[in-house]
Amino acid sequence: MKAVTWCGKQNVKVERVDDPKIINSRDAIVRVTSTAICGSDLHLYNGYIPTMGKGDILGHEFMGEIVELGHDVHNLAVGDRVVVPFTISCGKCWFCEQTLWSLCDNSNPSPEKAEAMYGFAPSALFGYSHLFGGYAGGQAEYVRVPFADTGPIKVPDDLSDEQVLFLSDIFPTGYQAAEQCNIHKGDVVAIWGAGPVGQFAIRSAFMLGAARVIAIDHYVSRLSMAEQAGAETIDFSDEYVFDRIMDMTAGRGADAVIDAVGLESHGITPDALYDRLKAAAYAATDRPHALRQAIHCCRKGGTVSIPGVYGGLLDKFPLGAAFGKGLTFRMGQTHMHRYLQPLLDRIRNGDIDPTFVITHRFKLGEAPKAYDLFNENKTECIKVILKP
């Protein structure tokens, strides 16, 4: 089959690889009908996530048709059309039983590396390094889905692939980011990063009752898309963000802030330039400027929600400011399985049409061109989908 493989920093290829096979009785084989490139795939593309191996198959946002099942999968049938969550969860460990699905204890077959770095290993992820299990991703014609009796959700035929594909990651991730803000009537939520996750966080914050949402970015097209959802916007290349948010909130600050940027943040302030110099000198992996600014702009007693991906140690992290203001932090990979059915229902009810975020469509064989475009031209390119 054809698959998109990681071959080094800013080097992906479409190669012929072996077809996946059933290994465990709870496995399924899915024929991929649609897949997407996630912003966090660019962290792999740009070499920020360790333990990638040459030839690893990329992709954690995908859906398709069941073509083969292990004999212990009884809730699905060959021919079912499914969306697959990007986190892999066994459904039976203590963490899964607490619905902390992204912290599953059993899905990562080689947890030693993550345990050495983090103390404990989170759940495995599709196509996201050997730190997170080393599973082949879904930017391919076929993919093996472990614990298929727990993860994939069947989708109705009256919804197109493009309407439901983003249930695999960015819609639930944006929704959880907003839900973590514990939004109350009248709240102001400020969101750093108007990329795909930020866009879904904006719409989710309004769904959950936010009175106002402020989006911070420097790409005009992304800010325009945020405004279409009703957000107020700040272009950080034109305005000093802290002063602007104080003006917009009568000096109180945002009730909750969301960092939808993660480890590759940009900025024009001295700390952002310092981050870039350290990263360029290979003295740091993460550039947390956006997170620092979000913490600074959060009101006393507010909440900081972090769906943006971080991988290592953060320099100049303002813990003193967070402590002094009594902030609450919520973060982590999305507990995907909690959100699949409720958000599918919202799509069916017409509360949201996730296709709004798609800007580019490519064939799977054009993946290297798509990665390069997404990495280099964020002005025009917001979300890319690939068709095998």
Side-chain angles (χ1 to χ4, degrees):
M1 69 170 185
K2 292 180 182 176
V4 180
T5 59
W6 185 89
C7 297
K9 184 177 178 180
Q10 296 187 355
N11 183 11
V12 301
K13 296 179 180 177
V14 178
E15 298 183 307
R16 287 278 178 190
V17 301
D18 292 340
D19 288 354
K21 292 181 170 55
I22 296 286
I23 295 175
N24 184 283
S25 61
R26 296 175 66 190
D27 287 352
I29 303 296
V30 170
R31 181 180 66 81
V32 178
T33 55
S34 294
T35 180
I37 303 175
C38 181
S40 59
D41 286 327
L42 295 184
H43 302 329
L44 304 173
Y45 184 69
N46 289 315
Y48 286 104
I49 302 296
T51 74
M52 288 296 290
K54 187 175 182 180
D56 285 347
I57 299 174
L58 294 165
H60 57 270
E61 296 180 355
F62 61 91
M63 63 174 295
E65 178 188 348
I66 300 284
V67 295
E68 189 176 358
L69 287 170
H71 59 74
D72 282 332
V73 182
H74 304 297
N75 59 323
L76 299 173
V78 171
D80 281 348
R81 188 164 160 259
V82 296
V83 173
V84 181
F86 77 95
T87 53
I88 303 171
S89 306
C90 75
K92 295 185 177 179
C93 72
W94 184 87
F95 294 95
C96 289
E97 289 177 347
Q98 310 306 310
T99 74
L100 300 171
W101 301 94
S102 69
L103 304 178
C104 174
D105 239 355
N106 292 327
S107 59
N108 190 336
S110 54
E112 298 82 7
K113 298 183 183 70
E115 288 172 351
M117 289 181 65
Y118 302 149
F120 299 93
S123 75
L125 311 174
F126 286 100
Y128 214 79
S129 83
H130 294 265
L131 189 66
F132 299 106
Y135 288 96
Q139 289 171 9
E141 292 178 310
Y142 295 90
V143 61
R144 170 186 166 240
V145 176
F147 304 116
D149 55 338
T150 298
I153 183 171
K154 287 191 282 189
V155 292
D157 291 337
D158 61 324
L159 294 175
S160 69
D161 276 19
E162 293 187 358
Q163 286 176 289
V164 295
L165 172 61
F166 303 132
L167 288 170
S168 60
D169 180 359
I170 56 174
F171 185 13
T173 295
Y175 191 89
Q176 178 178 282
E179 189 179 68
Q180 288 179 157
C181 293
N182 192 25
I183 295 169
H184 292 85
K185 184 179 180 181
D187 275 1
V188 178
V189 179
I191 300 176
W192 274 254
V197 168
Q199 296 291 341
F200 280 103
I202 290 166
R203 287 153 178 80
S204 298
F206 280 126
M207 286 182 199
L208 292 169
R212 296 168 61 197
V213 176
I214 302 169
I216 300 100
D217 208 310
H218 66 136
Y219 295 109
V220 173
S221 59
R222 296 180 179 214
L223 292 174
S224 177
M225 184 178 282
E227 289 171 351
Q228 291 169 18
E232 301 160 67
T233 57
I234 298 175
D235 182 339
F236 68 72
S237 63
D238 290 338
E239 302 176 88
Y240 189 59
V241 175
F242 179 80
D243 289 349
R244 186 77 180 102
I245 289 181
M246 292 308 109
D247 288 343
M248 298 167 83
T249 59
R252 192 172 76 166
D255 297 293
V257 297
I258 295 175
D259 171 9
V261 178
L263 64 86
E264 290 189 73
S265 70
H266 298 273
I268 56 176
T269 56
D271 73 299
L273 300 176
Y274 168 82
D275 288 344
R276 291 195 71 85
L277 286 172
K278 284 199 71 173
Y282 297 100
T285 55
D286 299 50
R287 305 199 306 261
H289 159 70
L291 179 57
R292 291 193 200 101
Q293 193 170 68
I295 291 170
H296 198 59
C297 294
C298 190
R299 71 158 167 83
K300 292 183 287 186
T303 299
V304 180
S305 174
I306 310 174
V309 172
Y310 288 91
L313 305 174
L314 303 192
D315 193 8
K316 305 292 185 293
F317 181 77
L319 186 59
F323 181 84
K325 294 197 290 183
L327 302 183
T328 297
F329 281 75
R330 302 287 304 278
M331 66 191 79
Q333 296 287 6
T334 310
H335 300 300
M336 290 292 297
H337 302 51
R338 286 184 194 170
Y339 300 104
L340 291 174
Q341 188 62 54
L343 296 185
L344 175 61
D345 292 342
R346 281 192 178 270
I347 295 170
R348 292 209 79 180
N349 293 338
D351 297 339
I352 185 170
D353 178 2
T355 61
F356 76 89
V357 78
I358 300 169
T359 55
H360 291 77
R361 298 169 176 83
F362 289 93
K363 296 177 180 176
L364 185 71
E366 299 174 303
K369 176 182 174 183
Y371 266 91
D372 183 62
L373 175 72
F374 193 24
N375 192 52
E376 298 298 330
N377 190 355
K378 294 184 177 65
T379 300
E380 294 182 8
C381 187
I382 299 177
K383 191 64 182 178
V384 179
I385 64 170
L386 302 172
K387 300 292 286 187

